[in-house]
Structure formats: structure tokens, C-alpha cells
């Protein structure tokens, strides 16, 4: 099982202090691995401590055991620097080990983005978020911006200092529950309903259409706005 251990965000006064802390915690990570498994190896590369431990059970059981051991390790070292651990899938060849390291990096990126909300994760825990981050990178590299309904809503908000995009996001996040969505924006439900009608009118979209709702959700998650 490949594990990646990293600090979620800088919290020290200098690069030298951060390097020292990474080395210290990397050493602690290696000691922890050696203590809990008979066959393991670790290395600090690019600010991330990677650990490789022999799997002694099924892939699923090995991953779950690795999650428990990682959580125990984080409990021991404390949370001052917001350390996080990624548990990659079990690898059965050198090529799969390389793939597992890349997977660990993907998981670590999500954990860092969350800034302490989740300390340990497998790919199964954060796969969708990881894919969205990669789509965001691709969209940024291409210089893509929102078009269609979302583009029209963004333009309207900028021109009229409206709040149609936040209204749309709140409604989507609340699964169409107007009362719950209105509460998140601190407005009366009737005010929210009016804004939602304006979303459909200005955006020229049908919010009853599941495909259009999905398109809007994806654009909101991936494109700059």
C-alpha cells in the first residue's frame, strides 16, 4: 500500500523551518511504518513523505487498515501544521507502484484544498473532487470561461449588481429546497422564488431539465466566475 504524507498548508515563519519540520515528520512517518508493519520503505520527495508497506490482506482490507494506521499516526503527531495522509490503492507491480504514487498525489491535493476538513482519504473518498480539480486545471490551461446560461447570468450579475448566480448555486446545493436555499442566503423564501424565476428568465434555461441542471452544476464547479 502506498501512502503519501504531507503538510496541508505552510504555518511556519521560514522555508528553512518548514523544511526542517517536513524532515522531522517524515522521519516520524518512517518510524511509524516500521513499527506497524514488518516490510516497509519510505522517502521524502518534493516535500511529501511516501511510504510503501506490504499488504497482508485483500486490497479493500489493506486500504482500510492503512487508513486506521494513518489516523493513529496523525493523532500522535498533533494537528498544528494540518498534516494529511493519502492512502493509494494496493499495487502488485512496479508500474502499479508508480501509478499508486500519482494517485496519492491526487488525493493529497484534494486534502490540501479542504484545509483540514479531512485528514486521511482513499481515492474512493475523494475521486469526484479530484476529477473536478483536473477539469479545472484543463479549463484554466485553455482559458475557458462560462458560456450559455451561466455566462448570461454572470454578465447580468456584473451589470446589475444582482445575485442570480449565488441564488442558482444555493438552489442546486439544496436539491431544489427553496426554504433551505433561502436560509443560506438570509433572504425570505418569496424573495428567493422571485430571484429563481429571474435565473430562468435571464439565463434562458429550464431548471426542470436535469441535463441543464447538470451542465450548470459542472460549470459552477469547474469554470472561473
Amino acid at each position: 500500500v502506498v501512502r503519501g504524507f504531507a503538510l496541508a498548508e505552510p504555518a511556519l515563519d521560514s522555508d528553512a523551518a518548514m523544511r526542517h519540520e517536513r524532515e522531522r515528520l517524515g522521519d516520524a512517518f518512517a518510524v511509524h511504518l516500521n513499527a506497524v508493519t514488518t516490510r516497509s520503505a519510505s522517502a521524502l520527495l518534493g516535500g511529501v513523505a511516501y511510504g510503501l508497506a506490504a499488504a497482508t490482506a485483500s486490497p479493500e482490507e489493506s486500504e482500510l487498515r492503512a487508513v486506521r494506521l494513518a489516523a493513529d499516526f496523525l493523532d500522535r503527531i498533533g494537528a498544528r501544521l494540518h498534516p494529511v495522509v493519502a492512502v493509494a490503492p494496493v499495487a502488485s507491480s512496479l508500474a502499479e507502484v508508480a501509478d499508486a504514487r500519482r494517485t496519492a498525489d491526487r488525493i493529497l491535493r484534494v486534502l490540501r484544498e479542504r484545509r483540514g476538513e479531512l485528514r486521511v482519504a482513499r481515492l474512493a473518498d475523494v475521486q469526484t473532487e479530484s476529477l473536478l480539480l483536473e477539469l479545472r486545471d484543463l479549463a484554466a490551461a485553455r482559458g475557458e470561461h462560462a458560456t450559455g446560461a451561466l455566462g448570461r447570468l454572470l454578465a447580468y450579475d456584473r451589470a446589475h449588481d444582482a445575485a442570480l448566480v449565488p441564488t442558482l448555486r444555493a438552489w442546486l446545493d439544496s436539491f431544489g429546497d427553496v426554504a433551505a436555499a433561502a436560509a443560506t442566503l438570509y433572504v425570505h423564501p418569496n424573495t428567493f422564488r422571485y430571484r429563481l424565476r429571474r435565473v430562468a428568465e435571464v439565463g434562458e434555461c429550464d431548471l426542470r431539465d436535469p441535463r441543464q441542471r447538470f451542465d450548470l452544476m459542472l460549470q459552477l464547479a469547474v469554470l472561473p466566475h
Side-chain angles (χ1 to χ4, degrees):
V1 180
V2 173
R3 302 174 210 174
F5 166 74
L7 304 181
E9 57 187 73
L12 299 177
D13 294 333
S14 69
D15 290 341
M18 178 57 75
R19 284 196 300 272
H20 173 75
E21 190 66 10
R22 282 176 175 151
E23 290 172 0
R24 185 184 72 80
L25 292 177
D27 290 342
F29 187 54
V31 170
H32 180 74
L33 279 180
N34 287 331
V36 298
T37 182
T38 56
R39 292 178 295 168
S40 66
S42 63
L44 184 63
L45 302 171
V48 176
Y50 296 97
L52 186 64
T56 57
S58 69
E60 178 72 12
E61 291 172 343
S62 295
E63 284 187 30
L64 292 175
R65 180 173 183 268
V67 168
R68 292 192 296 269
L69 293 175
D72 178 63
F73 170 68
L74 293 179
D75 287 340
R76 292 173 183 270
I77 65 173
R80 184 170 66 94
L81 296 179
H82 306 285
V84 289
V85 179
V87 176
V90 173
S92 58
S93 68
L94 288 177
E96 289 184 2
V97 168
D99 289 340
R101 177 187 170 183
R102 286 189 287 269
T103 298
D105 289 338
R106 290 174 57 195
I107 299 168
L108 286 174
R109 183 181 178 190
V110 174
L111 294 177
R112 284 165 161 163
E113 288 270 335
R114 286 194 175 193
R115 295 184 179 276
E117 293 178 15
L118 185 63
R119 300 187 307 161
V120 183
R122 302 176 297 160
L123 181 61
D125 302 319
V126 298
Q127 186 172 28
T128 299
E129 290 173 80
S130 175
L131 291 171
L132 287 174
L133 286 175
E134 292 178 6
L135 285 174
R136 195 182 303 168
D137 289 345
L138 180 61
R142 291 177 172 175
E144 293 196 23
H145 296 278
T147 59
L150 184 58
R152 289 187 286 271
L153 293 169
L154 287 167
Y156 187 89
D157 278 356
R158 286 192 293 266
H160 300 278
D161 193 25
L164 299 187
V165 172
T167 297
L168 172 63
R169 183 190 292 277
W171 184 75
L172 291 170
D173 288 347
S174 299
F175 298 99
D177 185 330
V178 170
T184 65
L185 297 182
Y186 304 101
V187 300
H188 192 277
N190 288 339
T191 300
F192 189 90
R193 290 187 181 92
Y194 168 76
R195 290 183 183 177
L196 197 60
R197 288 195 296 271
R198 292 294 292 154
V199 167
E201 293 167 0
V202 173
E204 301 173 23
C205 55
D206 183 359
L207 296 179
R208 297 169 299 180
D209 184 335
R211 177 58 184 267
Q212 292 188 47
R213 292 198 303 271
F214 175 77
D215 289 346
L216 288 165
M217 291 175 68
L218 187 60
Q219 284 188 307
L220 284 168
V222 171
L223 298 177
H225 51 273

